[in-house]
Amino acid sequence: MNGPVPVEVLKQHLIDPEICIRCNTCEETCPIDAITHDENNYVVRADTCNGCMACISPCPTGAIDNWRDVLRAEAYAVDDQLTWDELPVQDDALAGQGTIGEASAGAAGGASGASGASADSSEPVIGGSDLVRGSVVPPWSAAKPYVNLYNHKAPVQATVVGNYRVTDASTESDIHHIVLDFGKQPFPVLEGQSIGIIPPGTTADGRAHHARQYSIASPRDGERPGYNNLALTVKRVTKDHQGQAVGGVCSNYLCDLKKGDVVNVMGPFGSTFLMPNHADSHLLMICTGTGAAPMRAMTEYRRRRRMKGATGKLMLFFGARTQGELPYFGPLLNLPKDFIDTNLAFSRTPGSPKRYVQDAMRERAADVAALLRHEHTYIYVCGLKGMEDGVLQVLQTIAGEAGLDWQTLWQRMKTEGRLHLETY
Ligand code: NAP
């Protein structure tokens, strides 16, 4: 007897190209390499994605959380997705029938292998079976953030009210502090959130530039207290990772802005890399270069709150090539010693050995360990991707030397929203 041939409907995981800010978080997070990208889009391989959801929470915009019910045999190919400017509409006839795809045996095996790193490896060991290294939840006492109020189709316009260099003029590193004012338009933000800037013009093939993401460097109540403005810390990109000359489209646009210029802004983004609101919480902040932006925002918010009784400790490890290349060097050193414990690490000071934030942390191991012991300590790491392994490794070493079980502590800090990593 011939019955109808069963139709397999796949709930296909897709990324919305209209909202995605190309921050690479999803590709880094995906444990089975199901996500890839070109200069245009970030996309998901239907034959690899197993719907593990590891990428969903870390995505700052929510662009990652899109699904279409499609005939499995007709799943959208990567090559198609790379050309999209918007997601395809859902075929009503298939809506609601899809099941999430399973990865091939090979891909699934690869994922379990990755989680089983050996304990004596020099790499920090990933806690438990969870492949995400940092928290995907905010601190319990964080304020509720607003996200995605504006997108690239309906951005908000901000006016430049300040733009000045915060690195020594003699250095190659041209880092700017840029203040954007939103006037009467609502743009509520929290420390640790980011925004998207849409640079004007088009790419060589005539497409509008996609937005670039920048961390907010000012506290929630404004760069200037009580004003509807915020600050960014932007490094002018003149070379690619291989050292070849290249003009960063958005960073050069931003660094060249004049007072009164108007900028198209998306966002805000981010709902986990947020600071605790309870007054006795401690912040352990570790950053390199422009990764200082969220640390500046949190530090300044605490400085303003301190006057209203916040008591928690602030400990900062901040790395740059030289003193002259460290953004906000002067203002940072002016902060009172009893307010913030600042530790700088310079890697290219002529005549001195290379020193990274990890080295500075090791030197302060006893004080870092005291913070690790405290259940109200929140850790924030922001900056170069390369520092993440080194920082986790030194935390593991410091915890171990202090008699703390790092695997247990790491897992606990992650689930309690107390270990936040934002590196790229
Ligand atoms: P940079 O000047 O290239 O580097 C800053 C310092 O980090 C230098 O002293 C560098 O040393 C050191 N460093 C290099 N590798 C390291 C490692 N494995 N461990 C520890 N330190 C290391 O930094 P930048 O150009 O300002 O870039 C900062 C990075 O932060 C960028 O990748 C940017 O995209 C990122 N960022 C992220 C966010 C965010 O996630 N929200 C926000 C802002 C910026 P040497 O080069 O001398 O070895």
Side-chain angles (χ1 to χ4, degrees):
M1 199 173 76
N2 289 333
V5 180
V7 197
E8 262 199 281
V9 181
L10 171 73
K11 192 177 220 16
Q12 185 173 359
H13 187 194
L14 299 171
I15 299 174
D16 188 340
E18 294 194 271
I19 303 178
C20 174
I21 47 171
R22 283 82 177 164
C23 65
N24 204 49
T25 306
C26 54
E27 194 170 320
E28 271 166 27
T29 308
C30 180
I32 54 170
D33 292 334
I35 299 178
T36 183
H37 73 277
D38 66 0
E39 66 287 344
N40 193 34
N41 280 346
Y42 275 73
V43 299
V44 186
R45 295 186 181 97
D47 58 357
T48 309
C49 175
N50 61 2
C52 75
M53 305 292 171
C55 58
I56 302 296
S57 301
C59 170
T61 65
I64 194 79
D65 198 6
N66 280 283
W67 308 82
R68 292 288 182 275
D69 295 336
V70 296
L71 293 178
R72 192 174 286 269
E74 295 177 7
Y76 297 108
V78 160
D79 286 348
D80 289 341
Q81 296 177 49
L82 289 171
T83 65
W84 288 350
D85 292 325
E86 56 187 44
L87 286 176
V89 290
Q90 172 66 58
D91 178 347
D92 287 344
L94 300 174
Q97 297 179 39
T99 51
I100 286 180
E102 287 177 1
S104 66
S112 66
S115 66
S118 77
D120 60 2
S121 150
S122 60
E123 292 288 303
V125 184
I126 310 292
S129 61
D130 185 351
L131 290 153
V132 181
R133 296 171 135 201
S135 297
V136 294
V137 290
W140 67 266
S141 62
K144 179 110 183 62
Y146 287 89
V147 292
N148 292 325
L149 297 178
Y150 303 91
N151 60 30
H152 88 286
K153 279 192 179 154
V156 63
Q157 283 70 46
T159 305
V160 178
V161 292
N163 183 355
Y164 58 91
R165 183 171 167 139
V166 285
T167 43
D168 196 282
S170 65
T171 66
E172 197 186 300
S173 178
D174 186 12
I175 301 181
H176 283 234
H177 182 73
I178 299 167
V179 186
L180 301 177
D181 192 274
F182 292 86
K184 293 195 166 32
Q185 304 157 107
F187 202 83
V189 299
L190 292 173
E191 307 77 16
Q193 285 194 291
S194 56
I195 64 169
I197 299 284
I198 308 173
T202 56
T203 58
D205 60 359
R207 289 168 179 272
H209 287 300
H210 62 75
R212 306 310 204 265
Q213 184 188 13
Y214 294 93
S215 292
I216 296 165
S218 51
R220 64 191 77 181
D221 56 339
E223 168 67 5
R224 181 165 174 186
Y227 279 65
N228 189 18
N229 61 23
L230 58 77
L232 304 176
T233 312
V234 180
K235 181 172 179 178
R236 188 188 292 278
V237 174
T238 53
K239 287 182 194 156
D240 64 14
H241 287 301
Q242 285 71 46
Q244 300 296 316
V246 38
V249 170
C250 200
S251 68
N252 280 280
Y253 162 65
L254 285 171
C255 289
D256 291 337
L257 286 170
K258 306 273 177 303
K259 266 190 189 179
D261 285 347
V262 173
V263 179
N264 282 317
V265 178
M266 292 164 54
F269 305 126
S271 51
T272 58
F273 194 105
L274 301 174
M275 66 186 294
N277 257 342
H278 55 297
D280 57 348
S281 50
H282 306 312
L283 307 184
L284 174 55
M285 301 176 281
I286 303 146
C287 61
T288 51
T290 51
M295 313 312 182
R296 179 182 186 272
M298 292 185 190
T299 301
E300 181 56 16
Y301 185 61
R302 267 302 173 85
R303 197 185 65 80
R304 292 178 194 178
R305 274 192 87 195
R306 186 185 188 219
M307 314 188 189
K308 298 180 186 143
T311 54
K313 292 193 172 72
L314 272 68
M315 189 172 202
L316 171 70
F317 292 92
F318 190 172
R321 292 175 190 170
T322 61
Q323 178 179 312
E325 291 198 31
L326 187 123
Y328 310 113
F329 179 73
L332 186 58
L333 291 198
N334 285 338
L335 292 171
K337 299 274 174 292
D338 65 342
F339 165 62
I340 183 167
D341 182 348
T342 299
N343 302 268
L344 305 179
F346 299 121
S347 57
R348 302 192 197 181
T349 304
S352 299
K354 198 176 193 69
R355 195 157 169 273
Y356 280 169
V357 281
Q358 300 88 295
D359 302 312
M361 290 172 73
R362 202 179 292 275
E363 285 163 20
R364 298 291 311 276
D367 298 296
V368 172
L371 284 178
L372 288 180
R373 274 183 215 288
H374 206 288
E375 62 183 21
H376 291 295
T377 295
Y378 293 76
I379 304 180
Y380 299 86
V381 181
C382 187
L384 293 168
K385 183 79 210 155
M387 74 189 281
E388 198 176 296
D389 275 353
V391 167
L392 289 173
Q393 187 68 61
V394 79
L395 285 172
Q396 178 173 342
T397 305
I398 291 171
E401 286 168 4
L404 297 164
D405 175 4
W406 172 243
Q407 290 306 309
T408 309
L409 180 61
W410 186 3
Q411 197 62 42
R412 195 174 148 206
M413 293 195 88
K414 277 199 298 184
T415 52
E416 292 177 355
R418 298 199 288 125
L419 177 61
H420 296 276
L421 311 173
E422 204 163 272
T423 58
Y424 34 92

